[in-house]
């Protein structure tokens, strides 16, 4: 299992997705594979879940007739995670740039990693807000939490906004898209996702990204924020 099949290789977008999903299943089917994916045990799992799969999700959303996308993921400390090259009728018409860049960030509850550990040790946990590590024993305690109205949605909308704002002041190449991979703090209904979208959009974040693509890793939910330039 290696990331070399991606690193620095220009790959058709759909083939890139197929390779990413194949690697995921390869890891998953190994002894302790599910545990390794959950805990991001090595750099392979971490990069796959936090960069390569989010890029795959973006590609699958955007790839279509007249917009053929190839991607080159690069492992390193450069100011982007992947280069994108596009061709087709929409590019010829000037609807999309022929070359652009992708940067990925993850938005998750601060207790998300504790829930992973609880799943490993005890097989389950209550909601993320009710999880804490005990100071003396270092054990993880999980208690049920009751929400009213859209409290958990408002909380997560602020997490997304904070993550985006961390990237806003960084200088990226022209035509960079920011992908925000969300591990939601609850199972959202379509109405709750719409509320989250409205909250993030209403924040009117000033940015120079070509697009900010926000999606949930569990469902098909996604939305975009566009540059006002």
């Amino acid at each position: 299992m290696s990331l070399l099949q991606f690193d620095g290789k220009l790959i058709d977008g759909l083939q890139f997705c197929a390779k990413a999903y194949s690697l995921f299943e390869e890891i998953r089917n190994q002894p302790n594979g599910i545990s390794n994916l959950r805990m991001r045990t090595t750099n392979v799992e971490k990069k796959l879940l936090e960069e390569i799969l989010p890029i795959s999700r973006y590609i699958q959303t955007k790839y279509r007739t007249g917009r053929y996308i190839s991607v080159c993921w690069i492992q390193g400390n450069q100011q982007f995670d992947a280069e994108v090259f596009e061709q087709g009728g929409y590019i010829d018409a000037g609807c999309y740039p022929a070359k652009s860049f992708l940067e990925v960030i993850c938005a998750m509850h601060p207790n998300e990693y504790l829930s992973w550990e609880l799943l490993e040790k005890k097989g389950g946990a209550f909601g993320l807000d009710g999880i804490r590590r005990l100071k003396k024993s270092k054990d993880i305690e999980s208690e049920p939490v009751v929400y009213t109205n859209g409290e958990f949605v408002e909380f997560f909308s602020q997490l997304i906004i904070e993550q985006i704002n961390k990237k806003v002041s960084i200088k990226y190449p022209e035509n960079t898209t920011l992908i925000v991979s969300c591990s939601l703090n609850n199972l959202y209904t379509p109405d709750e996702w719409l509320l989250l979208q409205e909250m993030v959009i209403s924040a009117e974040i000033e940015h120079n990204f070509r697009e900010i693509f926000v999606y949930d890793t569990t469902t098909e939910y996604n939305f975009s924020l566009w540059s006002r330039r």
Side-chain angles (χ1 to χ4, degrees), residues 193-204:
W193 177 260
L194 182 59
L195 177 60
L196 178 72
Q197 176 179 331
E198 291 172 350
M199 288 178 173
V200 174
I201 291 174
S202 66
E204 298 184 344

Side-chain angles (χ1 to χ4, degrees), residues 58 62 101-105 160-161 163-168 172 175-182 193 197 200-201 204-215 222-228:
Y58 174 82
K62 303 298 181 178
F101 302 87
L102 299 176
E103 172 73 355
V104 184
I105 57 171
I160 294 175
I161 293 166
Q163 288 297 92
I164 293 173
N165 280 332
K166 289 178 183 178
K167 295 290 187 177
V168 164
Y172 287 96
N175 290 323
T176 295
T177 289
L178 180 67
I179 301 171
V180 184
S181 173
C182 299
W193 177 260
Q197 176 179 331
V200 174
I201 291 174
E204 298 184 344
I205 303 169
E206 293 290 337
H207 66 90
N208 290 317
F209 293 106
R210 182 180 179 276
E211 177 185 2
I212 299 177
F213 178 76
V214 183
Y215 82 98
N222 68 80
F223 66 88
S224 291
L225 308 175
W226 298 94
S227 172
R228 297 181 180 180

Side-chain angles (χ1 to χ4, degrees), residues 39 111-122 124-128 130-143:
M39 301 302 295
N111 290 339
E112 182 80 26
Y113 75 100
L114 293 177
S115 72
W116 302 340
E117 191 173 332
L118 268 178
L119 282 170
E120 284 297 299
K121 293 180 177 180
K122 298 183 179 180
F126 291 110
L128 295 170
I131 299 176
R132 66 190 180 103
R133 189 183 294 278
L134 302 176
K135 291 183 178 180
K136 290 185 178 180
S137 66
K138 302 302 180 182
D139 290 337
I140 303 173
E141 181 180 78
S142 177
E143 298 179 342

Side-chain angles (χ1 to χ4, degrees), residues 50-165:
E50 298 180 7
E51 294 183 18
I52 292 173
L53 286 178
I55 290 170
S56 299
R57 176 59 184 275
Y58 174 82
I59 291 170
Q60 279 197 278
T61 303
K62 303 298 181 178
Y63 198 112
R64 58 174 170 151
T65 53
R67 189 182 183 187
Y68 305 107
I69 303 171
S70 295
V71 60
C72 178
W73 176 77
I74 303 172
Q75 185 171 205
N77 296 319
Q78 68 285 338
Q79 287 185 309
F80 53 87
D81 293 316
E83 291 180 280
V84 171
F85 298 87
E86 301 187 35
Q87 56 183 333
Y90 285 107
I91 288 73
D92 295 340
C95 299
Y96 306 104
K99 181 179 180 180
S100 58
F101 302 87
L102 299 176
E103 172 73 355
V104 184
I105 57 171
C106 298
M108 64 179 65
H109 193 286
N111 290 339
E112 182 80 26
Y113 75 100
L114 293 177
S115 72
W116 302 340
E117 191 173 332
L118 268 178
L119 282 170
E120 284 297 299
K121 293 180 177 180
K122 298 183 179 180
F126 291 110
L128 295 170
D129 284 319
I131 299 176
R132 66 190 180 103
R133 189 183 294 278
L134 302 176
K135 291 183 178 180
K136 290 185 178 180
S137 66
K138 302 302 180 182
D139 290 337
I140 303 173
E141 181 180 78
S142 177
E143 298 179 342
V145 174
V146 177
Y147 300 105
T148 59
N149 300 321
E151 282 181 328
F152 63 92
V153 180
E154 183 175 3
F155 177 84
F156 202 84
S157 71
Q158 292 304 309
L159 285 180
I160 294 175
I161 293 166
E162 289 170 8
Q163 288 297 92
I164 293 173
N165 280 332

